[in-house]
Amino acid sequence: HSPDKFRRSKPSDIGPASSHASFYPFRSRQAHGIRSHSEAGCKREIFHSQEIAAIRKQEAANSAALIGAEYICLDYDDEMFYETKEVRLAFINLVRHCKADVIFTHSLHDYNPDHMLTSKIVNDIAVMIPIAHLKTEEEPYDVIPSIWMWEPVAGMGFQPTDYVDITDYYETKMKMLDCMESQKAWMSANYASLRDDEERFFDTIRILSEFRGMQAGCKYAEGFVRAMDGFRTRMTERVLP
């Protein structure tokens, strides 16, 4: 594939890190666009929300840097994210900035309302990217990006339409996730499946990667659901690596 094929953005939280990494040899530009700084969830109650936000933003930037990706945060309040005209235009501007061909985002059926709303907005605004009279700081470009949704925690109710073999990038994925120290601490303290054990954070990722790999016929894989509509299905073309 030509390098231009893999320009892309992800206006949402940290997701399929190894599929991001697998684009690296082909990409001309790669960006991690983050909706919020996730300041609501942190085990350290002594931190103010601004301090937590700064920690999360640095962790996300460190993670993105491992694959040479640009990190962008839209700075919306965690767990208090609502759709407005201004929010839509900010998402459009972000995608235009990235000149995205492909967008990874959350499932429309997720455990977190911020995640589901992010996915809805991304799916809604994709067709608006080329529309010239929708004015943003960044100029429109003549592509309607294809959208790929990754699975929620533990893959609950998620049946992929497409798989990516991440075996060669699995260790990179784990290094990227390891950057999220405050997230690991908060999840281990609040998620029953982790039982206050931060190392089980990695077990959940490994088990799901092995399970999707078993389905896909490789050691490790990630599964995605593609947005299915007449403008961007690209069913006869292999878009993912």
Side-chain angles (χ1 to χ4, degrees):
H1 300 282
S2 67
D4 286 343
K5 172 63 88 177
F6 299 106
R7 293 179 183 152
R8 50 191 249 297
S9 160
K10 182 179 75 63
S12 39
D13 291 338
I14 292 294
S18 44
S19 288
H20 286 197
S22 65
F23 273 94
Y24 185 85
F26 311 103
R27 70 165 175 59
S28 59
R29 185 176 193 179
Q30 191 166 205
H32 285 193
I34 310 298
R35 174 205 65 250
S36 75
H37 28 61
S38 303
E39 78 280 7
C42 183
K43 190 175 181 180
R44 298 287 298 278
E45 290 84 357
I46 60 172
F47 289 154
H48 295 296
S49 60
Q50 294 89 343
E51 294 176 290
I52 300 168
I55 290 169
R56 287 287 173 83
K57 288 168 75 171
Q58 187 58 58
E59 290 172 345
N62 293 343
S63 179
L66 290 176
I67 57 171
E70 179 183 11
Y71 168 72
I72 304 165
C73 183
L74 295 180
D75 278 321
Y76 294 111
D77 290 339
D78 193 26
E79 308 300 344
M80 297 293 167
F81 177 56
Y82 305 102
E83 184 174 8
T84 65
K85 179 180 180 179
E86 289 71 27
V87 166
R88 281 194 169 208
L89 288 172
F91 273 59
I92 293 170
N93 189 66
L94 173 61
V95 176
R96 286 174 173 176
H97 169 78
C98 298
K99 298 293 190 292
D101 285 327
V102 177
I103 300 176
F104 291 116
T105 189
H106 294 283
S107 169
L108 288 166
H109 307 286
D110 196 288
Y111 71 96
N112 183 285
D114 285 1
H115 297 181
M116 291 186 286
L117 183 54
T118 295
S119 184
K120 175 190 178 298
I121 294 171
V122 169
N123 276 273
D124 288 348
I125 60 96
V127 296
M128 305 176 194
I129 302 306
I131 299 176
H133 70 77
L134 288 174
K135 302 295 184 183
T136 63
E137 181 179 339
E138 300 288 344
E139 294 295 321
Y141 62 99
D142 291 331
V143 171
I144 296 175
S146 60
I147 295 174
W148 305 81
M149 292 167 280
W150 68 78
E151 55 193 309
V153 172
M156 294 296 197
F158 189 86
Q159 181 56 54
T161 59
D162 296 83
Y163 295 81
V164 174
D165 181 351
I166 64 167
T167 305
D168 291 343
Y169 300 92
Y170 177 77
E171 293 304 323
T172 300
K173 171 175 183 160
M174 302 311 283
K175 289 177 182 177
M176 294 177 73
L177 291 170
D178 198 32
C179 292
M180 312 303 291
E181 287 290 339
S182 63
Q183 184 82 4
K184 288 188 295 180
W186 186 84
M187 290 180 68
S188 67
N190 289 277
Y191 281 44
S193 61
L194 302 186
R195 300 171 189 170
D196 210 26
D197 181 356
E198 289 187 20
E199 292 308 307
R200 286 180 62 84
F201 175 80
F202 295 102
D203 288 343
T204 61
I205 304 301
R206 175 186 55 78
I207 291 167
L208 194 56
S209 298
E210 288 178 342
F211 176 62
R212 295 307 181 195
M214 178 180 66
Q215 292 180 319
C218 58
K219 187 173 182 180
Y220 299 113
E222 288 176 342
F224 300 92
V225 168
R226 68 174 71 195
M228 300 291 285
D229 65 59
F231 294 106
R232 52 179 184 251
T233 51
R234 298 159 77 169
M235 293 294 289
T236 61
E237 180 182 0
R238 177 65 183 179
V239 178
L240 301 183

